[in-house]
Amino acid sequence: MHSQLVVSLSGIGPQTLDRCADLAAALDPRRVPLSLLVVPRELGRAQEWVRHRASLGDAVVLHGLGQRRLPAHEAGLLLMGARVQMDAIGLNADTFAPRRCVASPGTLIALAKHRFNRCADAHAVRDLGTGLATLGRLHALTERSSFGELRTLALVYATARSARRGGLTRITVDARDLHRSGARQAVLDAVDVALAHDAAPTTYVRLPSPRQASAA
């Protein structure tokens, strides 16, 4: 079974815009779209770039609400506020990715209530209508202090292992990390090894809904 490849990008804003555009330009010849993890209040002048990338096929994903114990009512209020901000800048999202890669049970309840379709957390992409999940652990350069050879190789090897197994392969990058020596190349190397294992590029929005329950 071939793997599906999702590459997500967070930390999008005025100060990181050039690095975001550079990564997108490097992925375009590889025909790998990005899932753009957007915090609307942080976009600033980057909102025009996000709209442009969305018109080219990148997916817009609402990003935020990283509190582990956030209750449903409070999560709902924050989601409504974020939706208002998104509407004001001409963006729309029905997929959500939590900060710190963890969504509280209350957040999941609020997302379903406010008609979000799916939630991409650290371990799976969850269909909020059915409660089913497509398993797929995030692979990332998680430490900003250093991007040494071992960390780079760890990302590439983990991605290759995931792609060989089939299912869902997920690479995530924070744009704020892309100024670090070797970080951009590590992400591209991980993408290339997934493609070499016949992973099919997609986004969180275009990812097929799971057809059977998982233990995630």
Side-chain angles (χ1 to χ4, degrees):
M1 178 177 64
H2 292 316
S3 178
Q4 292 178 299
L5 171 66
V6 174
V7 181
S8 60
L9 176 66
S10 63
I12 304 167
Q15 294 182 335
T16 62
L17 181 54
D18 289 347
R19 297 194 288 272
C20 293
D22 177 68
L23 180 65
L27 292 176
D28 282 345
R30 294 167 166 85
R31 298 185 179 181
V32 175
L34 281 165
S35 292
L36 303 172
L37 277 50
V38 166
V39 181
R41 68 177 183 276
E42 296 178 1
L43 283 180
R45 64 183 177 88
Q47 63 187 255
E48 182 177 350
W49 179 79
V50 172
R51 285 193 294 268
H52 172 66
R53 291 301 308 181
S55 73
L56 298 177
D58 287 355
V60 177
V61 177
L62 184 63
H63 192 43
L65 309 186
Q67 300 92 324
R68 289 177 179 267
R69 298 182 181 179
L70 192 65
H73 176 69
E74 186 177 345
L77 293 175
L78 293 172
L79 287 170
M80 285 191 293
R83 273 242 166 103
V84 168
Q85 294 172 341
M86 293 283 277
D87 289 343
I89 59 178
L91 293 173
N92 183 53
D94 58 15
T95 299
F96 179 80
R99 284 187 188 268
R100 304 185 186 93
C101 304
V102 176
S104 71
T107 297
L108 294 176
I109 292 170
L111 286 167
K113 180 178 179 180
H114 289 276
R115 299 183 180 179
F116 281 81
N117 291 336
R118 56 188 58 183
C119 176
D121 65 22
H123 305 290
V125 181
R126 305 179 189 279
D127 186 306
L128 297 167
T130 65
L132 303 181
T134 300
L135 292 177
R137 185 171 70 85
L138 280 173
H139 301 297
L141 291 167
T142 55
E143 296 293 335
R144 294 205 183 114
S145 59
S146 173
F147 289 114
E149 183 178 358
L150 288 178
R151 191 170 300 281
T152 297
L153 290 175
L155 174 64
V156 174
Y157 288 158
T159 302
R161 187 166 59 248
S162 176
R164 281 197 304 269
R165 286 199 304 260
L168 179 59
T169 296
R170 302 162 68 199
I171 300 169
T172 188
V173 57
D174 189 325
R176 292 167 292 188
D177 291 335
L178 289 173
H179 74 288
R180 302 282 183 177
S181 176
R184 174 185 179 276
Q185 191 58 50
V187 172
L188 295 178
D189 288 347
V191 168
D192 287 341
V193 78
L195 296 177
H197 285 90
D198 295 324
T202 188
T203 67
Y204 285 137
V205 172
R206 298 203 298 266
L207 188 70
S209 295
R211 296 182 179 178
Q212 60 185 13
S214 75

